[in-house]
Amino acid sequence: MRTPEIVFDEVSKFYGEVLGVNRVTLNIPPGITSLVGPNGSGKTTLMNLMAGLIHPDRGTITVRGLSPKDPERLMRVTGYATQYDAAPRGATGFDFVSTGLMLYGYSRVEAAERAWKALDQVSLTGAANRKVAAYSKGMRQRVRLAHAFAHDPEVLVLDEPLNGLDPLVRAETIALFRGWAAEGRHVILSSHVLDEVDVISDQVILIANGMIIAEGQIRNVRDEIHEHPSQFIIRSPGAARIASMLFELDHVTQVKLQDDRLGLLVMTRNRQEFSRALTRIALGGCGIESVIAADENVDALYEYLIGGSR
Amino acid sequence: MNTPFRLRQVRTIAQLELKRVFFSRRSFWVYLLALLPAVIFIGHGIDVKVRQSRSASRTVSREILASIQLGDTPESVIERAGEPIDDHQWNWKEQNREVAHRRMMYFDGQDRVNLHFQDGLLASKRQSPLINAEEDRKVFAGVFQYFYLRLAIFFGCLGIFMNLFRGEMLDKTLHFWFLAPARRETLLAGKYLAGLAASIVVFTGGVALCFAAMLWPQSAADTQAYWQGPGPAHLFAYLAAAALACIGYGSVFLAAGMLLRNPIVPAVVLLLWEGINGFLPAILKKLSVLYYVQALCPVPPPLDASAPPLARLLLTPSEPPPAAVAAIGLLALTALVLWSASRAVRKLEINYGAES
């Protein structure tokens, strides 16, 4: 009986003297799990370790009880859509997916049937006979996805799977992920956009500098995220008056009037409350020209979460 | 997962890879290498055929040509034998005086007769066949050993087999195979078989074409005699040697492609190793592909006595083992290299960042 989790036990990986990931211990249950971190944080390293494309220097990994050192068994239950195109030169989308299936032992006919089904699920049947080299970024993303799940795996590892997708396909793809998760499969995806994973993930693993800095159910991590002070720049002819009103609010920790007295730098611990307060102030007759988030990027959050140690 | 399933996977991988190896842009220069000698032999054959047809229209009987003696004048020769096929005249200053030279050529239906006149008298008469089958076979033996074995198959296999893993690493497509539910050894076997099939088809095809082009201009009698004699055994030996060279060099370059990034390094090292094989102690000689395949070559290659001493040293083959020992030895060497490669492929990691 295989365990249903993906387990990392004290896993470290170095590329020469460069750290990939360091002493990672994780126990990932089925469902949608997002690995979130800035570029170079170690997300792809974790995924490559899971799929056996690289080997840990220390520690052990099991994927639903299987070792990544045994690709013959592991890849029957795992599908991995990497960030690189794997299609052979000159291959069409259909060739790419069906060829991969033939390595699972499917006959040509079975492989073709499964390939069409997978391509249909990512809305790519119309372009299936076009060469992958001529695909747009979004289409390549979709064909990689089809290739990863065409053999109906229990574990799907997807490196930045929503990159380059238009909103409609993005929504369809997210629905696919949810469907798989509901069937008890693992859907492990990486992203550097926090807001994106916020709406789709059951679990989130925040990673920076090769170390896990937060993990768990999205609700808990979200609280941690929401406590992160956010900065906004407000432009208004009545900046001084707005500053005095904002000072009254508990969640506002800092207000700084700019030299031209037409701009404010505001730091708040609660974005939603801040947004509501600004609406009230604007309705009260203070003309607000613009509100710009000064640090609304994932790097700033990491800076906060890891205590500015980077 | 059982052995028949793994064998099916090997076949599938080989079939998929074969298309890539055959139609890859990187393979075109390999075709050129394999076909170059055939093109040269075909050119030679066309030249012989043209000369044969020109000469055949002006054949002179052997009796008339035999009657031509030293001291005859050109006029008396033309009176008996008619106009020659070739006729060149020139003057040459020798010992402060101008000497008139004239060269005329006749054809008796098989041999050419060259007549050289000095100051209006026949000074020399030389008879030679229009085409020398024996000489052509020696030339072919030289082309096979010096060009095919030492250069074309060597560099062709370097191009084909190094690319099986290294090329995919550079193209960032190797993970397609590593993410398949197949043991790494199965993948290695499939890729090796694909490279082997491609290289054997290309190089034995090139050798066979070259062999046919060598025989093409020869007379029907010569060709028939050769086919009824040693011809089939020679052809088989050349094809077997070419195939075994692909097997041996293929395994070495497949392994090198996994361990090294720069193909120039293994190419230079192996080329030097193969070159100095004749001087190595007996035990080290056995670690050479050339040592075994040279033993299968049926005709010793010509080696010009005027060649520089170093070239003669490098080109002189070492004492060959018996053919059966050579074939078994090469296969054993290949098995050893492939076993090492299978250990290396298990540890191979996808690290595209390090490649760019």
Side-chain angles (χ1 to χ4, degrees), chain A residues 262-282:
Chain A
L262 296 172
L264 285 175
L265 180 70
V266 184
M267 194 173 274
T268 172
R269 282 192 176 278
N270 191 325
R271 288 168 173 227
Q272 285 174 338
E273 280 299 316
F274 177 71
S275 171
R276 278 196 278 271
L278 268 188
T279 308
R280 281 198 304 273
I281 290 168

Side-chain angles (χ1 to χ4, degrees), chain A residues 204-221:
Chain A
V204 177
I205 296 167
L206 292 175
I207 180 167
N209 296 336
M211 287 179 283
I212 306 300
I213 53 172
E215 60 157 320
Q217 293 193 338
I218 188 72
R219 197 185 315 116
N220 304 335
V221 178

Side-chain angles (χ1 to χ4, degrees), chain B residues 166-180:
Chain B
R166 183 60 45 206
E168 292 226 53
M169 198 69 109
L170 291 172
D171 288 345
K172 299 181 177 169
T173 54
L174 188 57
H175 61 281
F176 172 78
W177 300 107
F178 280 15
L179 294 176

Side-chain angles (χ1 to χ4, degrees), chain A residues 118-144:
Chain A
L119 289 164
D120 184 42
Q121 282 183 280
V122 293
S123 311
L124 211 56
T125 44
N129 289 319
R130 276 166 53 194
K131 287 186 178 172
V132 174
Y135 279 5
S136 67
K137 191 180 173 189
M139 289 161 90
R140 284 172 194 226
Q141 190 73 271
R142 279 143 67 192
V143 82
R144 283 201 291 264

Side-chain angles (χ1 to χ4, degrees), chain A residues 2-281:
Chain A
R2 288 195 277 123
T3 54
E5 283 88 24
I6 296 172
V7 180
F8 281 72
D9 184 15
E10 288 283 305
V11 172
S12 297
K13 174 69 188 172
F14 293 85
Y15 301 102
E17 291 182 1
V18 179
L19 171 72
V21 290
N22 191 22
R23 302 189 68 176
V24 170
T25 296
L26 289 169
N27 200 324
I28 308 172
I32 301 177
T33 301
S34 295
L35 297 173
V36 191
N39 291 333
S41 57
K43 304 185 296 285
T44 302
T45 297
L46 279 184
M47 293 183 145
N48 285 349
L49 283 165
M50 255 182 257
L53 293 184
I54 54 175
H55 312 302
D57 295 313
R58 257 177 265 142
T60 54
I61 304 163
T62 54
V63 178
R64 294 201 168 203
L66 300 172
S67 166
K69 285 181 185 166
D70 181 7
E72 199 175 37
R73 296 174 70 204
L74 177 81
M75 297 321 294
R76 291 211 157 264
V77 300
T78 308
Y80 182 12
T82 66
Q83 55 183 304
Y84 296 107
D85 279 332
R89 225 173 251 164
T92 64
F94 172 76
D95 291 340
F96 173 45
V97 180
S98 62
T99 301
L101 285 165
M102 283 165 68
L103 294 169
Y104 286 83
Y106 294 115
S107 69
R108 210 169 270 276
V109 176
E110 284 173 312
E113 275 173 15
R114 280 181 170 267
W116 282 118
K117 191 178 159 197
L119 289 164
D120 184 42
Q121 282 183 280
V122 293
S123 311
L124 211 56
T125 44
N129 289 319
R130 276 166 53 194
K131 287 186 178 172
V132 174
Y135 279 5
S136 67
K137 191 180 173 189
M139 289 161 90
R140 284 172 194 226
Q141 190 73 271
R142 279 143 67 192
V143 82
R144 283 201 291 264
L145 201 56
H147 178 252
F149 73 74
H151 62 285
D152 212 16
E154 295 169 17
V155 178
L156 271 147
V157 184
L158 312 167
D159 200 351
E160 308 261 0
L162 301 175
N163 249 5
L165 300 185
D166 63 59
L168 187 65
V169 179
R170 202 183 184 86
E172 288 171 358
T173 309
I174 289 171
L176 264 182
F177 296 165
R178 287 197 172 125
W180 291 330
E183 291 168 8
R185 300 176 207 234
H186 275 91
V187 181
I188 316 280
L189 52 94
S190 69
S191 177
H192 57 267
V193 184
L194 269 173
D195 291 343
E196 181 178 270
V197 301
D198 194 13
V199 291
I200 59 172
S201 309
D202 301 315
Q203 289 91 224
V204 177
I205 296 167
L206 292 175
I207 180 167
N209 296 336
M211 287 179 283
I212 306 300
I213 53 172
E215 60 157 320
Q217 293 193 338
I218 188 72
R219 197 185 315 116
N220 304 335
V221 178
R222 195 186 291 141
D223 290 343
E224 224 170 328
I225 293 167
H226 285 165
E227 283 174 16
H228 168 219
S230 304
Q231 289 182 18
F232 294 90
I233 295 169
I234 301 167
R235 299 291 295 176
S236 166
R241 198 175 145 216
I242 295 172
S244 64
M245 284 191 268
L246 288 175
F247 258 130
E248 302 294 317
L249 305 173
D250 288 344
H251 55 85
V252 173
T253 56
Q254 189 183 346
V255 179
K256 194 174 171 186
L257 194 62
Q258 291 181 335
D259 290 346
D260 61 1
R261 301 185 67 80
L262 296 172
L264 285 175
L265 180 70
V266 184
M267 194 173 274
T268 172
R269 282 192 176 278
N270 191 325
R271 288 168 173 227
Q272 285 174 338
E273 280 299 316
F274 177 71
S275 171
R276 278 196 278 271
L278 268 188
T279 308
R280 281 198 304 273
I281 290 168

Side-chain angles (χ1 to χ4, degrees), chain B residues 199-326:
Chain B
S199 57
I200 287 178
V201 166
V202 170
F203 287 109
T204 56
V207 169
L209 189 63
C210 195
F211 194 81
M214 184 259 299
L215 293 179
W216 172 49
Q218 291 180 8
S219 68
D222 274 346
T223 307
Q224 196 181 10
Y226 187 54
W227 277 122
Q228 284 171 352
H234 282 187
L235 179 62
F236 176 77
Y238 283 125
L239 296 181
L244 282 171
C246 293
I247 290 171
Y249 286 132
S251 66
V252 173
F253 289 122
L254 181 77
M258 276 185 289
L259 301 170
L260 301 164
R261 280 186 202 155
N262 189 347
I264 294 170
V265 176
V268 170
V269 170
L270 195 62
L271 202 58
L272 279 174
W273 179 260
E274 295 286 32
I276 60 165
N277 184 259
F279 315 113
L280 295 174
I283 186 75
L284 292 179
K285 274 183 188 166
K286 293 180 174 63
L287 296 175
S288 154
V289 174
L290 204 56
Y291 171 73
Y292 297 109
V293 288
Q294 273 182 339
L296 300 173
C297 296
V299 178
L303 191 56
D304 195 342
S306 63
L310 182 65
R312 288 174 63 80
L313 276 174
L314 292 175
L315 294 175
T316 305
S318 52
E319 194 61 38
V325 174

